[in-house]
Amino acid sequence: MSDPRADLYQEVILEHNKKPRNFKKLEGATHQAEGYNPLCGDHLTVFLKVNPQRVIEDVAFQGSGCAISKASASMMTVALKGKTVQEAEELFEQFHKLVKGDLDPEKEPNKLGRLSIFSQIWHFPARVKCASLSWHAAHGAINKQQSVSTE
Amino acid sequence: MKTASNTFNVTEIRKDFPILSTRVHGKPLVYLDNAATTLKPKSVIDRIRRYYEKECSNVHRGVHYLSELATKHFEATRGKVKEFINASRTEEIIFTRGTTESINIVAQSYGRKFLRKGDDILISAMEHHSNIVPWQMLCEEKGCVLKVIPINDDGELIWPEFEKLLTPKVKFVSIVYISNSLGTVNPVKKIIAAAHRLKIPVLVDGAQAVNHRAIDVQDLDCDFFAFSGHKLFGPTGVGVLYGKFDLLNSLPPVQGGGDMIASVTFEKTTYNVLPHRLEAGTPHIAGVIGLGAAIDYLNTIGMDAIEKHESELLAYGTKTLKAIPKLRLIGTAKEKAAILAFVLPNIHPHDMGTLVDQDGIAIRTGHHCTMPLMLRFNVPATSRASLSFYNTKKELDELAASIKRAQEIFS
Ligand SMILES: Cc1ncc(COP(=O)(O)O)c(C=O)c1O
């Protein structure tokens, strides 16, 4: 039996945790929202710069949280850059299903790419919210919510 | 009642707790989350079962056999609690849903009746949310002012600051005996004496104290004392509010209903006497009776023996955790109960919780319902191992080994 720890804390996740991408405040952001998980105190802000053609030109995040929430936020910023708002919303839907165990990336069509690394997280119910926090924040930002809470 | 034996045998004691033979992720359970809730001995579980199987009925209401039997056992627990915390009268023991409800009753009843606009209410920087929010709600309603005794970096109250805050404007002090997040044992007896010199009543939040040491409310001289059954090896959903008789007797009820009345007409209701006046509605009968069984069980072991074993565990655990490179203990008071909270620079507590869980080890991670305290220590959260008398040094070794494995993953 493989150690489930290794499924959750894969190299990619540990690496993004250590060196998060786009970890900064975004000057000139058109959208931003805070994500807060009161259970563990994870707290981050997602910034988006959306151009008139509804393309996400730039995306960044800031805040503090566990490895899962930080790595997920970092990977999300990479995934969203250059996508249209509509594509981002589709990805949000798919990611949401993925972390809840409702989408098998091997069997069902999806655009998750590297994000499917989170496919095992539903084995850790207490951690699903960590992985989805930044996505909820981005979704909230796009839909003009200032803050979202995962509780 | 059996008297406490002088031999404390943890291997034998562990057999009294059926859940300790559980396996978690294929490993034997190491339960180090006793500040959240304590495990239940078989005698408590059996006692609750017996009530439902053989004694099920309501209390204080029927003349039939079962009701009288249930009432007898229910009221016997009141007597057991009275002895356990050394109250002077059984009427001073009010059954509630838990510490939270006990504190809320005092805030809503005593607070509404006796506190006025501009009065200070004094609490400490290490309170559980349940000893902050009820007072904030009262402050909002009445225009009182909440004042907070600061703590030092070891997690101890700063006495001179307390003395400064303790002015005649203070009309109530509510203070935690043992901090659930730090393990600090506050000098409540001294605090109470100082407050009483100014005739200020004091509530002691004893949620984390009752399971770690013998309690004597008369010796402490506290005016109110609150605790939860589930942190005393009893069931959830039952707790106690102790109050000095005259004080309790002056409190208006906060809930109306059955049991708390003497007579009701549509024009006028007269209230029942203590303790029933403050216990509206059908109580958690099975819970109360179960709590009685928990107290019986503890009496066979003895709180002093428990305190001794736990202080050895604390010393060993402190040494063991301190030996882990970069680990920082949060809560290093000189007077401490067996609670070990810690952080590591590059591992978030939430990740730590998940990682040690894979080794079958249950610890709590997060803010422990003390968010202002986390701010004080400038950490988002901590990992906390909280011990009880059924824990062993071997379990602490396993925790340390598991923390080291987590460090390897995150290295
Ligand atoms: C110090 C302290 N006070 C109050 C409480 C609240 O107890 P309960 O949730 O049982 O009402 C707790 C529980 O964690 C606690 O540790």
Side-chain angles (χ1 to χ4, degrees):
Chain A
M1 197 182 80
S2 79
D3 187 342
R5 270 175 286 216
D7 289 340
L8 186 59
Y9 294 99
Q10 297 184 44
E11 216 31 66
V12 181
I13 289 178
L14 293 170
E15 203 267 335
H16 273 270
N17 173 49
K18 237 188 217 166
K19 296 198 202 82
R21 318 292 193 272
N22 306 304
F23 189 63
K24 61 182 182 208
K25 185 168 188 253
L26 192 62
E27 297 302 329
T30 53
H31 298 69
Q32 79 177 64
E34 270 188 331
Y36 179 49
N37 179 348
L39 188 69
C40 49
D42 289 351
H43 199 167
L44 46 87
T45 307
V46 172
F47 306 90
L48 299 161
K49 193 192 243 172
V50 181
N51 71 14
Q53 289 73 44
R54 306 280 288 155
V55 173
I56 300 170
E57 273 184 1
D58 206 356
V59 44
F61 81 106
Q62 256 193 332
S64 72
C66 63
I68 305 298
S69 70
K70 245 164 112 181
S72 178
S74 171
M75 293 178 71
M76 178 190 78
T77 62
V78 174
L80 291 187
K81 213 178 271 195
K83 296 269 192 316
T84 65
V85 165
Q86 200 190 334
E87 286 168 335
E89 290 285 76
E90 274 167 29
L91 216 46
F92 169 74
E93 290 296 322
Q94 290 177 1
F95 188 79
H96 202 57
K97 278 191 182 160
L98 175 84
V99 294
K100 287 197 301 184
D102 294 338
L103 186 153
D104 183 342
E106 314 255 287
K107 301 209 177 99
E108 291 158 73
N110 67 80
K111 300 197 172 126
L112 289 164
R114 304 192 71 181
L115 299 171
S116 45
I117 197 163
F118 289 102
S119 67
Q120 294 306 305
I121 198 150
W122 60 273
H123 292 299
F124 300 85
R127 311 307 304 277
V128 170
K129 285 175 177 168
C130 306
S132 57
L133 183 64
S134 56
W135 286 89
H136 280 290
H139 175 70
I142 288 170
N143 295 288
K144 299 280 181 206
Q145 270 175 280
Q146 246 118 62
S147 77
V148 298
S149 167
T150 56
E151 274 305 285
Chain B
M1 198 198 303
K2 265 198 282 177
T3 46
S5 61
N6 7 350
T7 48
F8 184 91
N9 183 335
V10 72
T11 315
E12 285 306 309
I13 281 169
R14 289 177 69 84
K15 292 183 192 155
D16 297 335
F17 291 81
I19 202 168
L20 283 175
S21 55
T22 304
R23 295 181 83 80
V24 173
H25 306 305
K27 318 241 169 58
L29 167 68
V30 174
Y31 188 77
L32 303 176
D33 195 16
N34 293 286
T37 198
T38 51
L39 305 178
K40 319 307 171 198
K42 185 163 184 300
S43 60
V44 168
I45 300 164
D46 289 346
R47 186 63 191 87
I48 292 168
R49 189 186 172 103
R50 192 172 104 211
Y51 162 75
Y52 283 123
E53 282 186 353
K54 304 223 156 75
E55 300 159 2
C56 184
S57 56
N58 211 324
V59 289
H60 306 138
R61 310 195 167 180
V63 293
H64 62 80
Y65 172 77
L66 287 183
S67 178
E68 285 189 346
L69 192 62
T71 305
K72 187 179 104 190
H73 293 307
F74 181 88
E75 288 303 326
T77 298
R78 210 185 295 278
K80 290 174 191 181
V81 174
K82 168 194 170 274
E83 295 293 319
F84 190 67
I85 63 171
N86 196 32
S88 54
R89 310 170 58 155
T90 48
E91 299 95 318
E92 294 176 326
I93 307 301
I94 310 295
F95 290 120
T96 65
R97 281 196 301 126
T99 311
T100 302
E101 190 176 65
S102 299
I103 297 172
N104 274 277
I105 289 174
V106 176
Q108 292 302 313
S109 178
Y110 182 92
R112 278 207 189 125
K113 182 163 176 188
F114 294 109
L115 299 189
R116 303 270 169 273
K117 190 170 182 332
D119 288 348
D120 284 354
I121 298 167
L122 195 54
I123 62 171
S124 84
M126 64 178 95
E127 300 308 323
H128 188 278
H129 294 163
S130 64
N131 200 23
I132 302 174
V133 185
W135 304 111
Q136 283 175 329
M137 289 162 64
L138 185 70
C139 287
E140 187 111 327
E141 188 182 317
K142 304 277 292 195
C144 306
V145 184
L146 194 63
K147 294 278 172 76
V148 182
I149 312 164
I151 56 175
N152 64 23
D153 291 344
D154 287 321
E156 297 165 321
L157 294 179
I158 304 173
W159 190 263
E161 295 292 329
F162 165 64
E163 286 183 323
K164 255 189 255 166
L165 287 167
L166 193 71
T167 67
K169 278 188 71 151
V170 177
K171 295 294 184 259
F172 202 85
V173 176
S174 196
I175 185 96
V176 66
Y177 194 160
I178 294 181
S179 157
N180 63 310
S181 296
L182 304 168
T184 307
V185 181
N186 283 318
V188 285
K189 194 174 169 180
K190 244 174 85 183
I191 290 170
I192 292 161
H196 282 178
R197 282 196 283 279
L198 299 177
K199 303 211 160 26
I200 305 164
V202 181
L203 181 150
V204 173
D205 171 356
Q208 299 293 344
V210 278
N211 57 338
H212 290 302
R213 50 173 54 207
I215 300 294
D216 183 335
V217 290
Q218 293 188 69
D219 179 57
L220 291 176
D221 201 25
C222 54
D223 300 280
F224 298 103
F225 189 94
F227 68 92
S228 302
H230 73 99
K231 296 187 200 279
L232 192 67
F233 316 97
T236 56
V238 61
V240 169
L241 170 63
Y242 156 85
K244 285 182 179 164
F245 185 83
D246 290 338
L247 204 49
L248 274 187
N249 216 17
S250 70
L251 295 190
V254 282
Q255 290 194 350
D259 269 350
M260 54 77 71
I261 51 87
S263 85
V264 175
T265 67
F266 285 115
E267 288 70 39
K268 172 118 187 98
T269 291
T270 52
Y271 299 140
N272 203 340
V273 294
L274 284 178
H276 311 294
R277 197 157 51 80
L278 294 169
E279 292 177 353
T282 299
H284 185 0
I285 303 167
V288 166
I289 292 174
L291 174 60
I295 291 174
D296 289 342
Y297 176 78
L298 289 170
N299 285 333
T300 66
I301 297 174
M303 291 311 295
D304 293 336
I306 286 174
E307 196 181 340
K308 182 162 169 287
H309 176 72
E310 287 184 5
S311 73
E312 282 165 24
L313 283 182
L314 175 66
Y316 185 78
T318 306
K319 193 181 80 188
T320 310
L321 291 192
K322 268 187 168 166
I324 297 173
K326 300 202 190 117
L327 183 142
R328 172 182 165 213
L329 284 176
I330 303 286
T332 44
K334 277 187 261 340
E335 291 293 326
K336 251 191 93 166
I339 290 173
L340 291 157
F342 59 93
V343 291
L344 284 150
N346 56 349
I347 311 182
H348 191 280
H350 215 187
D351 297 312
M352 183 62 78
T354 295
L355 288 166
V356 303
D357 175 62
Q358 292 301 316
D359 286 327
I361 301 173
I363 59 170
R364 169 117 184 241
T365 59
H367 54 61
H368 317 288
C369 298
T370 53
M371 289 171 84
L373 191 63
M374 299 297 109
L375 272 178
R376 166 64 183 75
F377 281 93
N378 202 18
V379 292
T382 68
S383 302
R384 177 190 71 189
S386 52
L387 316 179
S388 193
F389 60 91
Y390 37 68
N391 289 125
T392 63
K393 290 182 181 168
K394 184 167 158 279
E395 289 179 309
L396 290 165
D397 289 337
E398 281 166 29
L399 172 67
S402 188
I403 294 171
K404 285 179 195 152
R405 275 194 287 279
Q407 279 183 316
E408 276 161 31
I409 290 176
F410 272 75
S411 66

